[in-house]
Amino acid sequence: MSSKRKLPVSYSSQEINTDSNVNKSESSSRSNTCRICGDTARIINYGALSCQSCKTFFRRNGFRPDSVRLCNFDKCCEINMQTRHTCTACRLAKCFMMGMSSDLIRKEDTKKLKRTSSLKQNSTTDQSTSQDITVHTVLQIVTSNTSNILHSDQSSHFDSQWTLLSNIVHSHDTFSTMSQMLITVNSLPALSGEAHSIVINPIEIINQMCISMQSFISSSPDFRILTLSEQTSLFERNLHCVIAFYSTLFFRHTGILRIPEYLNAFITIYGSDIMLSLRHTSEQLDPDPTLIKIILIILAFSSNCLIVNTNKTMERDSLLDGTFRLLGSQNVYVELLWKYLISKYGYDESALRFTRLIQIFLCVIKKLAIVYTNNAIHRKILDGVTARTKQILANNENDRTLLWGKGFVSQFQ
């Protein structure tokens, strides 16, 4: 991640109005840009001109800066509208640097309590206003209790789930080729014309993505406890879709579709409409990579996440008749996904993020169905991957070492 950009100087104490509801004309004379993330902002909240998202974020985290998740990038994350949800530690640090103060949260709460008390004692108060305040208070209590339950759950089951999360992320990153792709992209200007044609090879890039996801799925004990025929069936059902969804993360992280040479190379195989649509989809993907990695393992153990029937005898295979074999894995990973969302983003934002992910996923599988049906080159690539995967599974049939996954979790229950 790039180094943190130079931050503007925070307001002086004379400029700060301690009331969060500052007159709009005063704030607009300063700016209409959030000092934390750059989004549209109209008023000063808790000591700094900020948008509603950053106001809510600071209210949720301002009292407990020591309890937020640590930064994984040496506290040098750039905070903007696209990345503000990625690193809690750097975003909170920037809030404080821009002049936000947790003391002003207490002052606002005190004012609200006094205002509520006054409304209750005033018999002429508009009843609808009182109801709004009551509903708002109840929602705050529910949100607070949900957060407290998650953070106070210190059971071994809860701990093992976060161990499982760490294992998923580590396994993905171990087999991912995105870091190597970034190195290649950065060295591109220094390469000769002949080397360009070797490096900019879309078929090889797709093959590497396929190998990455095949290895990622195979490393789970949930996969290894299946029989050879069940493993083969699972890959035939889901590997194509997992690769397609992974490609959105791959293209966003590496940025290669913003490089004309790479984009044109992929267009020669898939056409401009598909590639421009995929580039747009990858840019709309949730900025939290951990979230995408959990989704990938959920898709891997789906009953069937490809809407095209690639195997005419699939309806007669044993895994389809006994999909209960997958239910344990599905339950564990879906529960992990939701707990991760709730603990990091709260209920409301989690619901919105999950909804957007579903929309993107549906868009991806729709495009995948079109490509697989109409593009012979793509079909040949993935059919070749499936054939090689079957051979690898057959060669490793006796290898049943558990690495991580549901089987790993059961040790702690």
Side-chain angles (χ1 to χ4, degrees), residues 61-99:
N61 298 282
F63 281 128
R64 52 179 195 277
D66 295 333
S67 65
V68 301
R69 296 178 184 274
L70 298 178
C71 175
N72 295 322
F73 301 97
D74 299 324
K75 301 179 181 180
C76 62
C77 298
E78 179 181 354
I79 304 301
N80 53 45
M81 290 173 60
Q82 287 71 41
T83 63
R84 63 190 179 189
H85 299 301
T86 303
C87 182
T88 303
C90 286
R91 188 181 186 185
L92 185 59
K94 191 170 181 181
C95 287
F96 283 118
M97 186 175 294
M98 289 298 99

Side-chain angles (χ1 to χ4, degrees), residues 5 7 33-39 45 48-51 54 57 79-81 84 90-92 94-96 98-100:
R5 62 186 177 188
L7 299 176
T33 302
C34 175
R35 304 300 297 275
I36 289 83
C37 71
D39 201 351
N45 298 295
L49 183 64
S50 53
C51 62
C54 288
F57 168 82
I79 304 301
N80 53 45
M81 290 173 60
R84 63 190 179 189
C90 286
R91 188 181 186 185
L92 185 59
K94 191 170 181 181
C95 287
F96 283 118
M98 289 298 99
M100 283 188 163

Side-chain angles (χ1 to χ4, degrees), residues 1 12 33 37 40 80 97 113 115 147 152-153 179 208 234 248-249 260 267 290 297 303 308 333 362 364 388 405 407:
M1 187 173 290
S12 64
T33 302
C37 71
T40 301
N80 53 45
M97 186 175 294
L113 288 173
R115 191 181 304 121
S147 178
S152 63
D153 184 356
S179 297
Q208 290 302 317
L234 199 68
T248 61
L249 177 64
I267 285 176
T290 299
I297 199 67
S303 301
V308 178
Y333 294 129
L362 292 176
V364 168
R388 289 195 300 271

